[in-house]
Amino acid sequence: MNEEIKHVPINKLRRRTAISFIVFGLLLSAGIFAFNRLYHQPLSEGYLQPGLRRSLQANEWFFEHVFSKGKLTKSYDKQDAAKNARVNGHAGMDGILDTNTWRLKVARAPGDTLTIDYHELLTLPKTEVVFDFKCVEGWDQVTWWSGVRFADFLKKYNLEAMQAKKYVGLITPDRKYFVGIDMASMMQPQTLLCYELNGKVLPQEQGYPLRLIIPVKYGIKHLKRIGTLYFSDIPPRDYWAEQGYDYYAGL
Ligand SMILES: Nc1nc2c(c(=O)[nH]1)N[C@H]1C(S)=C(S)[C@@H](COP(=O)(O)O)O[C@H]1N2
Ligand SMILES: [Mo]
């Protein structure tokens, strides 16, 4: 069992060490280069960079083919809902929003934007959901929300053809917070453009005048203070996905 100890001549060792350093250096440069390409492209288009997009294709397939549109998230009784719902996340929420000037912008196509005011939204058919709201930070809370079902909203504004698009993008009026959501999840019947919490006007810090409530997703996707909504076949930019969280953030 006595193994021979191999003596490597010192000059050979030096050469190996040098080669290791060169290989390491090359790999590191390649990594930095790839990272820069991915993250330092101009981001103005509002869409995800092609590199990140490709890595999403497996998930895209899963959500299109495996995720069932009709499946409902567990609902609870209103009396089980938290009286003081937690507030979390303030990106895109600077200042007080005024509904005298706010309009929901729906970009149907480039250069074709529908604008809808707050009072008109309140006249749309109302749906309530009471569900367990889950944040990726590890807390959850049963909460009661009301608003217009996204599916009903599309119907009301003759936007049903937009269901053919793969994604919906939502952006705050200041464009500082933004999410991208697969169409199947948007069309799920508990997904709301929400304007009430606990039966009362949505508080400013919880997204007044309009926020997304999407029980099939983690909290990061429930964008507060919607400014613009748009449709797309490529994944819209997403605030937390760009920080490394799962793009779909499904439950
Ligand atoms: N505009 C905006 N919407 C947002 C966030 C944010 O930072 N800005 N944070 C998200 C996160 S991480 C969570 S958990 C929920 C929290 O909603 P709440 O404040 O009503 O509890 O909002 C989501 N929507
Ligand atoms: Mo969250």
Side-chain angles (χ1 to χ4, degrees), residues 86-91 135 172 177 206 211 219-220 222 224:
R86 247 181 116 134
V87 177
N88 195 50
H90 301 277
C135 172
T172 55
Y177 196 80
Q206 261 132 344
R211 74 175 296 168
I220 46 177
H222 298 227
K224 302 190 279 191

Side-chain angles (χ1 to χ4, degrees), residues 123-195:
T123 66
L124 301 187
K126 184 165 161 180
T127 299
E128 307 200 339
V129 332
V130 185
F131 78 107
D132 192 11
F133 189 109
K134 295 190 175 89
C135 172
V136 288
E137 288 164 27
W139 54 270
D140 69 291
Q141 193 173 52
V142 172
T143 38
W144 163 29
W145 311 89
S146 338
V148 54
R149 248 186 205 142
F150 187 70
D152 291 344
F153 174 84
L154 290 190
K155 212 177 285 171
K156 158 83 189 185
Y157 290 101
N158 295 319
L159 294 168
E160 283 161 300
M162 291 299 181
Q163 283 179 66
K165 296 279 182 187
K166 286 190 168 155
Y167 296 90
V168 172
L170 299 118
I171 319 174
T172 55
D174 65 4
R175 309 184 76 82
K176 287 186 182 161
Y177 196 80
F178 38 87
V179 298
I181 300 184
D182 56 282
M183 188 58 82
S185 298
M186 285 305 288
M187 295 309 290
Q188 198 268 6
Q190 290 161 302
T191 298
L192 307 180
L193 299 181
C194 161
Y195 50 74

Side-chain angles (χ1 to χ4, degrees), residues 11-31:
N11 58 335
K12 219 173 176 181
L13 249 184
R14 282 212 187 100
R15 212 175 66 218
R16 281 189 197 170
T17 311
I19 291 170
S20 309
F21 270 108
I22 291 164
V23 169
F24 176 75
L26 287 174
L27 287 175
L28 188 68
S29 316

